Amino acid sequence: MPLTVHHLQVSQSERIVLLCEELQIPYNLVLHQRAPIFSPQSIKALHPLGQAPVIQDGNLTLAESAACAEYIIHIYGNGRLALPPSHKNYANYLYWFHFANGTLQPHVLTMLQISHLDKDMSGPAGVRSTERFAKMLEFVDSRLKENTWLAGEEFTAADIMTVFTFTTMRSFYPYDLSGYAGILGYLERVVKREGYRKARAKGDPELELMIEGKPPKTFIEKLKAGGKL
Ligand SMILES: N[C@@H](CCC(=O)N[C@@H](CS)C(=O)NCC(=O)O)C(=O)O
């Protein structure tokens, strides 16, 4: 089997497992566990930045979710789950595909860092980034009230790139989605997909879905409760 996907459990590499399941392509899945919070040596040995996802295909080793996604879509998926330039929703597809890792996910990471540095979000940086995030959530929410999937009528890699930040990422920065009916309805649609169910069963069988409005228990809380921290 040529394509190998390295998945760090409870992480954004869940996107690549989901992509492979949605494309229904053959791949070899290697699971790695956090040690106990960051990457284990087995991921660090794969790439200089030591972060997941990482894929391997023959002599190629590739990191970065969006790069892995585009590579797999075009090399193994015959372009499926991307929209071509001729498609009426092409620009929407591009926008939402890039919004995921260009704006949404980095912003949540910034809030996570501020919350650690300032101990809470009540300082100027915390207040400003929380306000900006609310704007983003309202924006995505209204998009998903009017469209089944982010690019429009079709489920695409834009959805695959985005879902992590609204679900598993909340176990690192536990923000509330109550009141965002568009996003919550969307998450319910996503987790009903066969590809999502299969990806979860293979990649993170013990992880809860985190599709409720209220924030989930955090990864750190779980580690502490399990005596691992
Ligand atoms: N922009 C990168 C971010 C990769 C990244 O931050 N991966 C996290 C998983 S959520 C990771 O490997 N964390 C463990 C560590 O940094 O040690 C991507 O989309 O692939």
Side-chain angles (χ1 to χ4, degrees):
M1 202 179 296
L3 178 67
T4 296
V5 173
H6 292 273
H7 171 46
L8 175 64
Q9 290 184 303
V10 198
S11 92
Q12 56 196 286
S13 52
E14 68 177 36
R15 293 160 162 166
I16 307 305
V17 186
L18 175 56
L19 175 69
C20 292
E21 292 301 326
E22 287 283 347
L23 287 173
Q24 297 183 311
I25 55 169
Y27 68 107
N28 173 34
L29 178 62
V30 182
L31 299 180
H32 303 257
Q33 282 190 347
R34 291 177 179 269
I37 299 174
F38 296 108
S39 288
Q41 192 51 39
S42 57
I43 289 278
K44 290 181 184 156
L46 293 169
H47 188 273
L49 297 189
Q51 292 189 309
V54 175
I55 61 170
Q56 289 178 310
D57 188 15
N59 291 332
L60 172 77
T61 297
L62 187 65
E64 200 62 51
S65 305
C68 297
E70 292 213 53
Y71 180 88
I72 293 171
I73 284 170
H74 295 294
I75 301 293
Y76 286 99
N78 202 20
R80 285 177 297 135
L81 295 178
L83 297 184
S86 56
H87 197 287
K88 71 177 167 73
N89 292 333
Y90 178 59
N92 283 320
Y93 168 72
L94 283 182
Y95 178 80
W96 291 105
F97 181 90
H98 289 284
F99 174 81
N101 248 15
T103 296
L104 184 68
Q105 173 64 17
H107 193 85
V108 177
L109 208 52
T110 300
M111 292 195 298
L112 171 66
Q113 285 160 351
I114 292 171
S115 73
H116 284 176
L117 287 172
D118 292 355
K119 304 283 180 252
D120 63 26
M121 297 300 275
S122 62
V127 169
R128 187 170 157 71
S129 66
T130 302
E131 282 171 2
R132 186 164 288 192
F133 188 53
K135 218 179 242 188
M136 282 179 209
L137 291 180
E138 280 159 30
F139 175 52
V140 182
D141 195 56
S142 64
R143 173 80 188 162
L144 291 170
K145 280 179 177 155
E146 286 160 18
N147 296 276
T148 309
W149 305 113
L150 283 165
E153 304 83 14
E154 288 174 49
F155 180 86
T156 68
D159 302 296
I160 289 173
M161 287 294 294
T162 303
V163 172
F164 164 79
T165 310
F166 289 139
T167 54
T168 311
M169 185 60 196
R170 293 200 292 150
S171 66
F172 296 95
Y173 184 75
Y175 64 90
D176 201 324
L177 281 174
S178 307
Y180 295 100
I183 297 175
L184 294 177
Y186 168 75
L187 294 179
E188 280 187 18
R189 290 194 287 285
V190 171
V191 301
K192 280 190 191 132
R193 295 181 65 85
E194 198 183 344
Y196 195 92
R197 288 206 305 268
K198 284 187 175 167
R200 183 50 65 105
K202 288 184 185 176
D204 292 278
E206 282 157 26
L207 193 62
E208 74 268 30
L209 292 175
M210 308 185 208
I211 58 168
E212 307 292 319
K214 68 175 174 41
K217 200 173 247 183
T218 66
F219 185 74
I220 301 290
E221 282 169 342
K222 283 191 210 161
L223 282 181
K224 283 181 180 161
K228 292 180 183 158
L229 199 67

